[in-house]
Amino acid sequence: MSMFVLVPGAWHGGWWYEPLAVELQKLGHRAECVTLAGLWPDDDLTRRPVNLTTHVEQLDTLVEDLTAGGDPVVLVGHSYAGQVINGVADRNPARVSALVHLDTDVVEDGESCWDVTTDANRSYFLDAIGGDGLGLAPMPFFDDRARPHPFATLLEKSRLTGAWREVPIKRYAAALDTPGGVQAPTTMAKLRDDPAWRYEEWPTTHNVLRDGPERVLNLIRDL
């Protein structure tokens, strides 16, 4: 039995992973669906500013609690959450048995999401910023539960020692059929032939749980 910690990407909450969590539990695993700070329905970014460090510290505290008995966890991150799970693994890689990246940007020390994302995404971020400059509006076709995403999380640069690379199992899934093009072309090119990673390319959109939930389950069920 493994403990899976499932971290959604921008605009989404733990609800995004709930169907996957059910399937993992049927297989005898445990699963924790995380909603990051600022993404709860009643969160107000004007009263509680949130950045990448906020999210890394939130997840770090959760992982510390879950591994108190000595068993490591599997960290799964979609999209933006790739930076969050690597930031936590970098602090103490012994607590993490595997890192699973679902169409994420895998950044280096000193890089932000803004630095490595596509020009199309940067344009969307600027168009979606609210009047307060704090939250990015969800895309109109998102689930009704999607929330404004804290813009600062996408601008803050990751602070990494490289210790996250010590996690023994690292898997990456790239979505090839996203309208407007692939979401992480730089990361895809970097990891495609890296022997430290199990790398897969899927005929799905960036919303891999909507388009290919069985692929996600097959990618992680043995961990």
Side-chain angles (χ1 to χ4, degrees):
M1 180 185 72
S2 294
M3 180 70 213
F4 288 85
V5 182
L6 310 172
V7 190
W11 299 285
H12 291 65
W15 49 264
W16 192 73
Y17 278 111
E18 287 172 358
L20 179 64
V22 169
E23 295 305 315
L24 288 169
Q25 290 160 2
K26 288 179 181 177
L27 295 172
H29 300 299
R30 293 184 295 153
E32 182 83 19
C33 300
V34 177
T35 295
L36 294 170
L39 280 302
W40 289 94
D42 295 330
D43 281 347
D44 182 351
L45 295 177
T46 66
R47 297 175 63 86
R48 185 191 181 192
V50 173
N51 59 17
L52 174 61
T53 297
T54 309
H55 287 166
V56 171
E57 291 180 347
Q58 174 190 349
L59 186 62
D60 185 65
T61 298
L62 174 62
V63 169
E64 184 177 12
D65 290 343
L66 293 174
T67 59
D71 293 327
V73 298
V74 177
L75 294 182
V76 181
H78 174 242
S79 193
Y80 155 74
Q83 290 177 253
V84 182
I85 65 172
N86 277 14
V88 170
D90 197 70
R91 293 184 173 198
N92 189 344
R95 299 180 304 179
V96 183
S97 61
L99 289 166
V100 180
H101 286 253
L102 302 175
D103 213 29
T104 74
D105 282 308
V106 177
V107 303
E108 304 295 339
D109 179 53
E111 290 182 336
S112 68
C113 175
W114 177 272
D115 291 333
V116 301
T117 197
T118 63
D119 288 340
N121 282 343
R122 291 190 195 98
S123 294
Y124 176 75
F125 296 163
L126 295 178
D127 288 342
I129 191 69
D132 58 16
L134 298 175
L136 303 179
M139 293 183 179
F141 55 82
F142 280 177
D143 189 286
D144 290 342
R145 293 170 289 183
R147 300 286 301 156
H149 188 83
F151 192 22
T153 65
L154 309 180
L155 298 175
E156 185 184 356
K157 297 180 182 300
S158 289
R159 293 185 286 274
L160 302 168
T161 67
W164 67 269
R165 300 180 191 277
E166 298 172 16
V167 175
I169 298 173
K170 293 178 282 291
R171 295 181 180 178
Y172 188 93
L176 300 184
D177 290 341
T178 300
V182 296
Q183 294 296 290
T186 301
T187 295
M188 291 167 61
K190 180 169 60 176
L191 299 186
R192 185 176 286 115
D193 298 316
D194 187 335
W197 291 79
R198 171 176 159 184
Y199 175 90
E200 298 184 5
E201 294 184 344
W202 295 349
T204 70
T205 71
H206 184 59
N207 192 340
V208 293
L209 275 185
R210 182 191 66 194
D211 298 348
E214 71 288 343
R215 289 187 174 88
V216 179
L217 182 62
N218 288 337
L219 181 67
I220 67 176
R221 64 189 299 159
D222 65 313
L223 293 175

